[in-house]
């Protein structure tokens, strides 16, 4: 029996000192030109945490000083006409510097967006849309719980 197991991928939620979320514009297909979170596929013989550090270095020319696993979502990623199942692992990350980021590799642009201006529908990949909505919902729920105390 042959099983089509998902490939592992990572995506990062990075907030600046003003509490704005770092978003990237995809420079390549699938979904070229849409918004995304920084991240990418986990390489062979690499942990998810190592992939986070490597991808942030490649895509933003930045250094991760802390990463915390948040949740995972399944996804379908189109590559060379094939639909590849993935398991996307989402992390909250802190960088050594959020002021001097440089879009590189397959990222066309990167910028910070206030949380109240984020629209999940502007993100191209289905799992990222769901992750943005979940992130916003959790932040709203947490802030409401904290204000009730």
């Amino acid at each position: 029996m042959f099983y089509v197991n998902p490939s592992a991928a990572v995506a990062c939620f990075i907030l600046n000192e003003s509490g704005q979320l770092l978003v990237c514009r995809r420079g390549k297909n699938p979904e070229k030109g849409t918004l995304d979170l920084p991240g990418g596929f986990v390489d062979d013989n690499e942990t998810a945490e190592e992939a986070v550090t490597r991808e942030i270095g490649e895509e933003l020319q930045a250094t991760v000083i802390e990463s915390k696993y948040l949740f995972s979502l399944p996804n379908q990623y189109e590559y060379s006409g094939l639909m590849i199942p993935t398991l996307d692992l989402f992390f909250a990350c802190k960088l050594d510097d959020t002021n001097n980021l440089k879009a590189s590799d397959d990222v066309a642009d990167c910028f910070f967006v206030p949380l109240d201006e984020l629209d999940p529908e502007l993100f191209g990949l289905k799992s990222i849309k769901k992750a943005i909505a979940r992130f916003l919902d959790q932040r709203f729920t947490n802030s409401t719980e904290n204000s009730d105390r």
Side-chain angles (χ1 to χ4, degrees), residues 63-130:
T63 302
V64 175
I65 57 172
E66 185 180 330
S67 65
K68 178 184 174 193
Y69 173 76
L70 299 175
F71 56 86
S72 63
L73 292 169
N75 195 28
Q76 295 286 320
Y77 189 87
E78 185 178 350
Y79 181 76
S80 295
L82 300 172
M83 291 306 283
I84 309 296
T86 66
L87 181 60
D88 297 347
L89 309 168
F90 293 87
F91 288 81
C93 297
K94 291 184 182 176
L95 305 183
D96 66 338
D97 179 11
T98 58
N99 295 314
N100 297 299
L101 303 176
K102 181 181 177 190
S104 305
D105 196 32
D106 55 356
V107 171
D109 193 14
C110 61
F111 48 93
F112 286 93
V113 176
L115 297 184
D116 62 353
E117 294 179 18
L118 282 172
D119 178 1
E121 291 305 312
L122 298 177
F123 292 78
L125 302 175
K126 288 180 185 177
S127 66
I128 303 295
K129 287 180 187 186
K130 289 179 184 176

Side-chain angles (χ1 to χ4, degrees), residues 9-97:
V10 296
C12 303
F13 288 98
I14 299 168
L15 298 173
N16 65 11
E17 55 281 347
S18 300
Q20 299 171 323
L21 182 68
L22 178 68
V23 298
C24 299
R25 189 159 311 279
R26 295 182 63 81
K28 296 181 180 176
N29 279 320
E31 304 297 336
K32 181 179 179 179
T34 62
L35 297 183
D36 201 358
L37 293 173
F41 285 100
V42 178
D43 286 345
D44 186 35
N45 207 26
E46 180 179 57
T47 68
E49 293 81 3
E50 290 168 339
V52 163
T53 298
R54 178 184 50 76
E55 287 287 346
I56 295 301
E58 290 173 358
E59 293 184 349
L60 304 173
Q61 303 297 302
T63 302
V64 175
I65 57 172
E66 185 180 330
S67 65
K68 178 184 174 193
Y69 173 76
L70 299 175
F71 56 86
S72 63
L73 292 169
N75 195 28
Q76 295 286 320
Y77 189 87
E78 185 178 350
Y79 181 76
S80 295
L82 300 172
M83 291 306 283
I84 309 296
T86 66
L87 181 60
D88 297 347
L89 309 168
F90 293 87
F91 288 81
C93 297
K94 291 184 182 176
L95 305 183
D96 66 338
D97 179 11

